[in-house]
Amino acid sequence: MTEQTEPDAPTELDAPTAPAAHADPAVRRETAERWQDLIALASPTEERNPRTHELDTLDAPDLVDTILAEDTLVAGAVQAVSAPIARLVDLCVEAIAGGSTVHYVGAGTSGRLGVLDAVELLPTYSATEQMVTAHLAGGIAAMTRAVEGAEDDADAGAALVAEHCGEGDVVIGLAASGRTPFVRGSLAAARERGLSTGLVAANPQAPLARLADVAVLVDVGPEAVTGSTRMKAATAQKLVLNALSTATMVRLGTTFQNLMIDVRPTNKKLVARTVRMLVQATGESPERAAEVLEEAGGRVRVALVALLAHADVTDAEVAAVRFGKDPGRRGDPAGIRSAVASLTTKESP
């Protein structure tokens, strides 16, 4: 399988041997300046890794061990930036709770990982595109193939903000090198409109950090294969997005303890998973959990409140609505504990 490196971090093999000649001196000057900027890019991912200089001399076992040894460094690098990730969570929770949207914007590998994170929130947390959505340079076709020049189009990045972003939205740029023009255009346009902005990059010196209210800059060091940002840089981004979106969804009240109570039981497998979750949360038998879930019309929250409070489904439904999801309710954003307490103690909220 041919490796697809991220377009915002071209390697020696990705780039043409030299910029094409052009009759117009202004165009030649602009082209030369662009190449100089790319070649002079300061990013750990573009440096040669001293631990892998002889990579091509290794046999398969040593190759795998060497690559995986580099990967072990990623989790620590991400842990080191937990504070800005948490600040970005607060921005996302505030936006979504207020009816606005979080937008991921990226190109190449970074953009694809943004799409992956966004679409997986639907089956896991019943999140919608109005809550979190992703924009990939070159459009959806760029998920499976390179779209020439898409990452270099700053105007296209600005245009998507004009077309898709509303008041109160958050725009999060995703770029391994932290310089992608498409992402730059989006962040600049978002700031001009007064929207909150974030950046996730694998470059502590990311040029686009100045356009971000919160910059998550992960220092993963040089890649095992120089410039191959689909490796450690991409792994770091996946970890950042996992933490960001999961923490956001938990704060929004989509879990009870560590259980996914907003899963939609639309087939037999998911119904079985939901019943198992009710058993885990309440200690009731599978038969009893399935019976109450059916009485609740498949509504997990109502069934959970009924089982925990030993109440009938009608009363549980009233309590579940009364104590709906609220990220401002400390210690109980889902409202399950409060709903159960209202049924067992008969106290007013």
Side-chain angles (χ1 to χ4, degrees), residues 249-317:
M249 290 298 123
V250 172
R251 283 279 313 281
L252 288 169
T254 64
T255 66
F256 172 67
Q257 299 173 341
N258 61 352
L259 300 171
M260 300 181 292
I261 59 174
D262 274 4
V263 170
R264 298 178 181 177
T266 56
N267 57 45
K268 290 183 178 179
K269 181 183 74 172
L270 291 178
V271 170
R273 181 179 296 168
T274 301
V275 170
R276 182 166 58 250
M277 179 181 64
L278 291 172
V279 171
Q280 292 170 328
T282 67
E284 295 284 355
S285 69
E287 293 77 16
R288 176 59 179 160
E291 176 185 2
V292 174
L293 181 62
E294 184 176 357
E295 290 178 8
R299 292 169 295 175
V300 178
R301 289 173 176 272
V302 174
L304 181 57
V305 171
L307 288 167
L308 286 172
H310 303 289
D312 63 46
V313 167
T314 301
D315 289 341
E317 181 178 7

Side-chain angles (χ1 to χ4, degrees), residues 168-222:
D169 286 1
V170 176
V171 178
I172 301 175
L174 310 173
S177 68
R179 62 150 295 277
T180 311
F182 178 78
V183 176
R184 183 181 71 237
S186 296
L187 293 178
R191 284 182 73 87
E192 287 178 4
R193 290 180 51 185
L195 305 181
S196 295
T197 57
L199 175 70
V200 178
N203 180 4
Q205 304 177 66
L208 296 184
R210 62 183 177 81
L211 295 176
D213 295 313
V214 180
V216 180
L217 308 179
V218 189
D219 188 358
V220 298

